[in-house]
Amino acid sequence: MAQTDPFHSPATHGFVRVAAATPVVHTADPSANADEHIALIRQAGEQGVDLIVFPELSLSGYAIDDLLMQDALLAEVERQIAIVAEAADAAGVIAVVGAPVRNGDALYNCAVVLGSGAVLGVVPKTYLPNYREYYEKRWFSAGTDTGRWHIDLHGRSVEFASTLLFQAENRPEFTFAVEICEDFWAPLPPSTRQALAGARILLNLSASNIVIGKAEERALLCASQSARAMAAYVFTASGWGESTTDLAWDGQATIHELGAKLAEGERFSLESHLTVADIDVARIGLERLRTGTFADCAKAELQDAQFTHLVFTAREAPAAADLIRPLDRFPFVPDDAARLDQDCYEAFNIQVQGLMRRLKATGSRTLVIGVSGGLDSTQALLVACRAFDRLGLPRTGILAYTMPGFATSEGTKSNALALMTALGVTAGEIDIRPAAERMLADIGHPYAKGEAVYDITFENVQAGLRTDYLFRLANQNGGLVLGTGDLSELALGWATYGVGDHMSHYNVNGGVAKTLIRHLIRWVAAREHEGETARVLHAILDTEISPELVPAQDGKIQSTEGTVGPYALNDFFLFYITRFGLSPSKVAFLAHQAWKDASTGHWPEGTPEDEKVEYDLPTIKAWLRKFLHRFFQTSQFKRSAVPNGPKVVTGGSLSPRGDWRAPSDATAKVWIDELEANVPD
């Protein structure tokens, strides 16, 4: 059954669907070109597109030279504008087409914005190339000379200026502006001030010809401008059909958002086609909001600028639709193999360099670390070994201890011992059970009387003793305690405060999410180890995540993810809530889009088949509710007192000295209420 709840519409969550159109060009034939436009506009309408943009001079063709000065051709272009406007209105799409437009006794290279069956506004090209193969000043006047005009087009007075912003009255975040080809090669593109004035989507109608290497340059400019202007950048260039008398055309089309490529069209295609993506205009607004430099720059640059806001009505959003944009299941772990390799290389070396600097600053030649046979302590130990190697220190200065408690399994203990031996560190074992039994007896805990009471006190006696031993060993050996807790555990408060795994002298994992740690260990195992070391690392990766503080019940070990939720989802929630400040309902929508079907999309390289799972919306909502409660209400006091450690991932750190500062006595009510009100069960 089709979903009809507004929750499942991307528009509800601040997305605008855009299309970069690449029509087949009919040289100096406006009627045939209009037919190509109308066909693509209809396709766009059927795909739920809100905004479609065509190349430069798309209605006339770009490479027609002095034919641009012919009255018959210009008159026909004007007639076809009206026909295309009616087609765009019928399809419910805002269309931006390229056309030569007369204004008084001058001709301009323009972007004509069409909506509601009429021309909403006309934007002339600001900078005209007149070098190498381009001679635009032979035919056109520059948009810098226009100021703000009104021109008559089809009996209607329309705005004519390079300083127009177009804003949807029913979706205020849907705001766009236009520049044309050469404009974004200028040292200060018009789109820079357009973005500062409020445009979140920047359009570029281009007829840039192709030579070797130019496509990469254009893509770089688009990515850079979308990042610097904190906007989306939609670029489309002329393709097949343009005159090749002296030049060639590849029809490049790209859509970027905040520096990231969302979509790329086929180059050198012989068919008209669309490149479609959903742009997150709400996220763009939040990114600008949290970056004070953007507002400061706007104040400095817009003092004398006079932008005109033209209002239009956007199409009604479809009831339900899948997102058309890249969406990683693991925001901290890219599914592109080359990018994952680069991220792992950088993350590992950030951790190593952070620890090296702390060792140099303290003059310490000894580290003390607890090794449980789990993921976090394994990664911290690998980092310690690399740091010692780079500093020229013997690995025997790493004092690693496994400290079995009441629920430690033989598997994790043997993995811990095997790993320490394989890495050549000084290995030790301290059985904490006698000390734990003594403490439980001293405080009168029921367990000391033979009762099977496995409460938080029972757990934290063990966790606290382990940390206490590590600190005293560090005192005894003149060393530092290396922390192992990760970013995901800090978010969830999954650490024993103060005397437990919450505290250390330096924590290399505090800026690394659990999902990334899994891939870091795989990465290190594949590139730096073989034989017994590689075998042990893979055995650790195959072990279920557990604190191993409570004895197994009915054959089932204590499961971390059974208590706090799957780390795959928790890391997804963490990234979008802390990095962008998205509402819980939008995070739930994105999580559902990413995780609802395990058979679609891409998985990070090396992901085992049994980890390729899926989650339905009720499951996502339930775990998100728990995450919100833990993150906003019960765990901040632990994050307010975390040890030093390097920031690693773009999602930010949770150090109170860095990216995240919050009161320890807040409530999660506003976030949970928003989730309950806007996410269906």
Side-chain angles (χ1 to χ4, degrees):
M1 180 181 295
Q3 296 166 320
T4 58
D5 194 290
F7 172 81
H8 296 284
S9 168
T12 299
H13 304 282
F15 290 94
V16 172
R17 184 160 295 178
V18 301
T22 308
V24 169
V25 179
H26 300 270
T27 305
D29 189 346
S31 177
N33 286 326
D35 290 342
E36 298 284 353
H37 283 55
I38 291 168
L40 288 174
I41 287 170
R42 287 171 177 164
Q43 289 181 33
E46 292 168 359
Q47 295 180 41
V49 167
D50 300 297
L51 174 66
I52 183 172
V53 56
F54 289 85
E56 183 178 10
L57 297 178
S58 57
L59 281 176
S60 61
Y62 179 84
I64 62 174
D65 298 329
D66 289 350
L67 301 185
L68 286 164
M69 308 303 292
Q70 292 291 309
D71 180 71
L73 181 128
L74 296 175
E76 184 61 25
V77 166
E78 292 175 5
R79 281 192 291 271
Q80 295 302 324
I81 287 174
I83 295 172
V84 175
E86 292 176 0
D89 184 45
V93 178
I94 302 299
V96 183
V97 303
V101 176
R102 289 177 284 196
N103 184 3
D105 295 326
L107 183 66
Y108 294 89
N109 181 344
C110 294
V112 182
V113 182
L114 308 175
S116 301
V119 176
L120 298 177
V122 178
V123 180
K125 189 172 184 176
T126 301
Y127 299 108
L128 301 178
N130 219 57
Y131 55 90
R132 292 198 294 268
E133 61 268 32
Y134 296 107
Y135 310 101
E136 289 193 28
K137 290 185 179 179
R138 179 181 176 94
W139 311 294
F140 298 115
S141 294
T144 52
D145 301 333
T146 65
R148 179 184 174 190
W149 299 67
H150 283 79
I151 64 170
D152 290 326
L153 208 55
H154 303 296
R156 178 179 175 181
S157 177
V158 298
E159 294 273 2
F160 181 93
S162 58
T163 53
L164 300 182
L165 296 185
F166 300 86
Q167 183 171 28
E169 60 181 350
N170 53 334
R171 293 160 65 182
E173 295 171 322
F174 178 6
T175 305
F176 69 90
V178 186
E179 63 185 4
I180 302 174
C181 199
E182 182 75 9
D183 289 348
F184 90 142
W185 265 281
L188 182 62
S191 58
T192 298
R193 287 196 173 94
Q194 292 169 352
L196 292 172
R200 298 187 183 182
I201 302 173
L202 307 172
L203 308 181
N204 189 313
L205 295 74
S206 178
S208 175
N209 71 298
I210 186 63
V211 292
I212 293 173
K214 194 173 185 181
E216 184 178 356
E217 177 186 354
R218 292 185 299 217
L220 178 62
L221 285 170
C222 293
S224 299
Q225 187 65 348
S226 73
R228 184 176 291 108
M230 294 187 185
Y233 202 92
V234 186
F235 176 91
T236 182
S238 297
W240 173 253
E242 281 284 9
S243 172
T244 56
T245 300
D246 290 302
L247 303 173
W249 319 86
D250 67 337
Q252 184 175 12
T254 61
I255 302 173
H256 287 80
E257 177 186 299
L258 297 172
K261 183 173 66 178
L262 300 186
E264 183 176 22
E266 179 185 355
R267 295 170 59 213
F268 299 106
S269 173
L270 304 184
E271 305 291 336
S272 296
H273 60 278
L274 299 175
T275 302
V276 180
D278 287 318
I279 291 172
D280 193 344
V281 290
R283 172 186 161 191
I284 289 170
L286 287 170
E287 189 71 358
R288 292 176 175 181
L289 186 69
R290 68 174 59 233
T291 308
T293 302
F294 186 89
D296 292 343
C297 188
K299 292 175 184 176
E301 291 294 328
L302 298 181
Q303 291 179 356
D304 299 322
Q306 299 293 324
F307 280 88
T308 302
H309 288 251
L310 301 181
V311 177
F312 63 92
T313 302
R315 68 179 295 152
E316 290 297 322
D322 287 335
L323 275 177
I324 304 176
R325 62 184 277 129
L327 182 62
D328 287 333
R329 288 180 171 89
F330 300 94
F332 297 108
V333 186
D335 53 37
D336 176 78
R339 175 63 190 277
L340 177 58
D341 179 73
Q342 177 71 13
D343 283 10
C344 287
Y345 166 80
E346 291 184 344
F348 189 58
N349 281 283
I350 289 169
Q351 291 181 283
V352 170
Q353 189 178 82
L355 179 57
M356 288 171 61
R357 182 69 186 95
R358 182 52 54 93
L359 289 169
K360 290 288 287 185
T362 60
S364 178
R365 301 173 63 87
T366 305
L367 275 183
V368 178
I369 180 175
V371 181
S372 67
L375 296 173
D376 294 339
S377 61
T378 295
Q379 177 62 17
L381 184 58
L382 292 171
V383 169
C385 288
R386 170 60 74 81
F388 268 55
D389 293 346
R390 292 193 64 184
L391 289 171
L393 299 174
R395 290 188 180 185
T396 51
I398 302 172
L399 310 182
Y401 293 87
T402 183
M403 293 175 281
F406 296 120
T408 301
S409 67
E410 186 58 36
T412 55
K413 177 183 172 182
S414 62
N415 282 340
L417 290 169
L419 180 64
M420 293 186 286
T421 301
L423 292 175
V425 302
T426 300
E429 179 179 344
I430 298 175
D431 187 344
I432 66 168
R433 287 174 293 186
E437 288 171 346
R438 174 61 185 269
M439 181 176 287
L440 289 167
D442 287 346
I443 66 175
H445 190 274
Y447 178 82
K449 302 172 185 177
E451 299 179 35
V453 176
Y454 307 124
D455 56 10
I456 190 67
T457 304
F458 178 83
E459 294 189 41
N460 283 347
V461 162
Q462 298 171 77
L465 279 171
R466 286 177 174 138
T467 301
D468 199 15
Y469 273 116
L470 293 175
F471 271 96
R472 302 299 75 79
L473 286 164
N475 295 154
Q476 187 177 18
N477 292 280
L480 302 177
V481 175
L482 185 62
T484 61
D486 63 47
L487 180 67
S488 309
E489 292 178 342
L490 282 174
L492 296 163
W494 194 247
T496 302
Y497 182 75
V499 297
D501 51 344
H502 166 260
M503 192 48 60
S504 62
H505 287 124
Y506 194 75
N507 184 8
V508 293
N509 286 344
V512 187
K514 181 81 75 178
T515 48
L516 179 55
I517 281 180
R518 297 187 71 91
H519 286 272
L520 276 170
I521 294 172
R522 290 192 183 105
W523 183 85
V524 174
R527 285 156 182 78
E528 300 189 11
H529 298 287
E530 56 186 15
E532 176 63 8
T533 307
R535 184 200 67 78
V536 176
L537 290 175
H538 284 286
I540 291 169
L541 286 167
D542 292 338
T543 302
E544 182 176 355
I545 301 172
S546 171
E548 292 194 324
L549 295 171
V550 174
Q553 304 291 315
D554 299 324
K556 295 181 179 180
I557 68 169
Q558 184 183 15
S559 170
T560 296
E561 292 183 298
T563 301
V564 300
Y567 276 112
L569 288 181
N570 282 320
D571 282 357
F572 193 97
F573 303 154
L574 172 65
F575 179 84
Y576 284 103
I577 286 174
T578 60
R579 174 64 181 84
F580 297 109
L582 302 188
S583 65
S585 62
K586 183 167 182 175
V587 174
F589 171 78
L590 292 173
H592 187 235
Q593 289 286 316
W595 286 96
K596 66 181 179 179
D597 187 349
S599 66
T600 61
H602 302 285
W603 293 86
E605 186 179 55
T607 304
E609 288 301 316
D610 61 355
E611 292 182 18
K612 295 179 180 179
V613 297
E614 59 189 48
Y615 300 103
D616 60 21
L617 185 59
T619 301
I620 290 168
K621 182 178 180 180
W623 287 122
L624 179 52
R625 184 188 299 111
K626 178 163 286 192
F627 175 90
L628 296 171
H629 179 75
R630 296 186 71 101
F631 182 80
F632 286 107
Q633 187 159 324
T634 67
S635 303
Q636 180 58 39
F637 76 99
K638 297 180 181 180
R639 296 189 289 270
S640 294
V642 295
N644 296 166
K647 176 180 174 179
V648 177
V649 296
T650 56
S653 78
L654 293 177
S655 166
R657 300 170 296 277
D659 290 3
W660 184 257
R661 305 174 195 194
S664 296
D665 48 8
T667 173
K669 184 178 184 301
V670 67
W671 290 271
I672 293 175
D673 285 352
E674 197 278 341
L675 178 76
E676 298 295 352
N678 297 309
V679 180
D681 294 319

